[in-house]
Amino acid sequence: MANPEQARLDPNAKAALRAKYLLERDKRLRADGNNQYVEIKQNFEQFLTDPHTPIAERAPVTDHVTFTFIGGGFAGLVTGARLKEQGIGDVRIVEKGGDFGGTWYWNRYPGAQCDTASFVYMPLLEETGHMPTEKYAHGPEILAHCQRIGQQFKLYDQALFHTEVTDLKWLDRAQCWQITTQRGDCFTSQFVGMGTGPLHVPKLPGIPGLGDFKGKAFHTSRWDYQYTGGDANGAPMTNLQNKRVAIIGTGATSVQCVPHLAKSCETLYVFQRTPSSVDVRNNQPTDAEWFKTIATPGWQQRWLENFTSNQTGGMASEDLVMDGWTDLSRRIQARIRSLPETERTPQGMMAAWEDSDYEKMNEIRARVDEIVADPKTAEGLKAWYRQLCKRPCFHDDYLDSFNEPGTHLIHTDGAGVERITETGLVANGVTYDVDCIIYASGFEVGTEHKRRAGFDLTGRDGEKLSDHWADGMKTLHGTHVHGFPNAFIVQPTQGANLISNVPHNLTESGQTIALTVRHTLDQGQQEVEVTEAAEAAWIEILLSGPGRMIGSQDCTPGYYNNEGIEPGPGAKFHVGYPHGALAYFEYLKKWRSDGQFNGLCFRGKPDDVNAG
Ligand code: NDP
């Protein structure tokens, strides 16, 4: 960790870095922002086919259940588990994939691995008794853990897989939701939860000639092992031995799969528009004896709170996780604490943060020179932006892949791939003929919510959620929306907004929803809804904070800053609790435990007198 007494960076060096960062950003800014990407559903539906599980025929479902959750990833699993713990027997998860797992169901590319330490990333470890085998578990283990949660909490019993919700409508008289799917299902549910995830709709880059390529092509989230050979556990992809392969994109996904491709392909071209910052990973197998010493009752909650505290400026004296994420934030805090009293102004603190950022990024750039033998390739792999402009990456083999004789970095200096032809790709004016193109081009972010979800909600009196949110998202806790009774949204925004460990947001939310549903039923009520006043008061609290901490327009474009396009007035609502994630979780715990559920109103059946 940095020495807090360390001298400030030379002002000239800082000014030069600032100028270099803006120059690199300007090379990449483009007027079409998110529209540069192609919506797969409309144009290339073959890219969405599930390569993992055949679709099983079944009759349409037309019954009634107490709780339906849309999305079978971590959000659905943890909420479902907590509901079961609260004695809610009939919980139905509706999932577009062929099993539970969400992102871990789809993303089975070689090398897929969690980026946040397993001990805090994998939910319900204590409840399931699972010991992660590595500090950063690989995809198959995380997928198996999702299935374990599904089995243990009997969530398979009523689940509908390969099923996509097409409509979700509140029935005022029946006081429940009607759910329609693409499989012909039409059933009702007293409550609904939604956890469709922020990154689940793959996108393709809008490169001219995209449809012309006659060879093999797939997106990383639909990896085709039949073509490549090998498997998600890392078996060598022997079918690529005599193949020329191109991968487009160098984000977090590419950083994890390139080392495997580099070992397998005859020739690998890595087409890079913007380099990722790639820090040390330092993965280790878990020592079972050590694990026994930490896994005492309540251990995962302690680890979660410690990680979140270290991440968000809390006062935790120890750092249990000790990794790249906590190093990043502890360095910033150490810099700020080392400031003399007179300099602890907002500007002084922002300058200390900038110092810490420059120092960290200089280390990351120096690491490229240490590992990559060819100086030109090394130069191309250096990230010229502040750390949180793009998703930080961590890997111990990625940079070394570029020392493999068959692996070539095609650095396009911000321009991207120019064209795709019948036989290959063109970049920097050079044609590269290949057998296979792998799109590591990411997922839709910032497109319309209903486009990504595949449905809009119709709430009380026929109001659409998209209309309720026309000027920006409005909720209580990111979960409850006025006019949409008995509906719960599970995601981080307007709650803790903890980005470095998304599952922590989800487990807290799942617990809160389960207690809210339990309370509704125990009181003999039919409906629960946030009042208009409580929703407005929560928004006021959110807007009293410092605003968005990531997404600066000074950054090189990416999905963190809406591809460099001013995101409009609604973006100011994409914030979390102003006092930080840890304070939010403490607040939420009190809120759900005191039995008051302040801000919610409960209603019975129409002839009940205790409505309101
Ligand atoms: P990203 O959106 O991060 O990356 C897409 C890549 O495609 C970028 O490098 C982008 O370049 C590049 N690209 C886009 N258009 C072109 C073009 N025309 N020519 C050349 N390159 C192009 O997607 P990922 O799938 O890598 O990651 C998405 C997110 O998923 C991550 O940010 C992370 O949150 C999550 N993730 C998490 C992991 C984990 O926790 N273990 C692992 C993997 C992903 P440019 O940067 O210039 O836009």
Side-chain angles (χ1 to χ4, degrees), residues 37 109 113-115 199 205 207 248-254 256 273-274 390-391 416-417 440-443 559:
Y37 292 101
Y109 58 82
Q113 186 183 17
C114 62
D115 251 352
L199 296 159
I207 301 169
I248 301 180
T250 48
T253 299
S254 184
Q256 293 187 332
R273 191 164 68 175
T274 310
K390 289 209 171 237
R391 172 64 146 65
V417 174
S441 45
F443 302 86
Y559 77 81

Side-chain angles (χ1 to χ4, degrees), residues 430-466:
V430 178
T431 301
Y432 300 86
D433 279 344
V434 295
D435 301 297
C436 172
I437 301 178
I438 300 172
Y439 290 95
S441 45
F443 302 86
E444 287 194 21
V445 181
T447 51
E448 232 189 332
H449 178 265
K450 79 173 178 214
R451 163 168 150 180
R452 273 177 289 132
F455 58 89
D456 202 355
L457 262 70
T458 309
R460 196 184 292 293
D461 302 326
E463 188 189 20
K464 298 275 185 201
L465 183 65
S466 51

Side-chain angles (χ1 to χ4, degrees), residues 468-475 477-479 489 491-494 539 542 570 573-574:
H468 188 73
W469 284 357
D471 298 326
M473 184 177 174
K474 285 185 290 183
T475 69
H477 303 161
T479 306
I489 307 172
Q491 53 78 47
T493 311
Q494 299 197 351
I539 296 298
L542 295 173
F573 299 105
H574 293 180

Side-chain angles (χ1 to χ4, degrees), residues 253-265:
T253 299
S254 184
V255 164
Q256 293 187 332
C257 65
V258 158
H260 294 262
L261 288 169
K263 286 200 175 68
S264 304
C265 303

Side-chain angles (χ1 to χ4, degrees), residues 152-180:
Q152 180 167 329
F153 292 93
K154 301 198 168 21
L155 295 168
Y156 278 97
D157 297 355
Q158 298 203 51
L160 299 178
F161 294 117
H162 281 140
T163 304
E164 291 179 49
V165 171
T166 50
D167 198 26
L168 197 53
K169 193 155 125 200
W170 174 252
L171 305 179
D172 278 322
R173 292 185 59 178
Q175 294 178 293
C176 63
W177 288 92
Q178 178 181 279
I179 296 154
T180 316

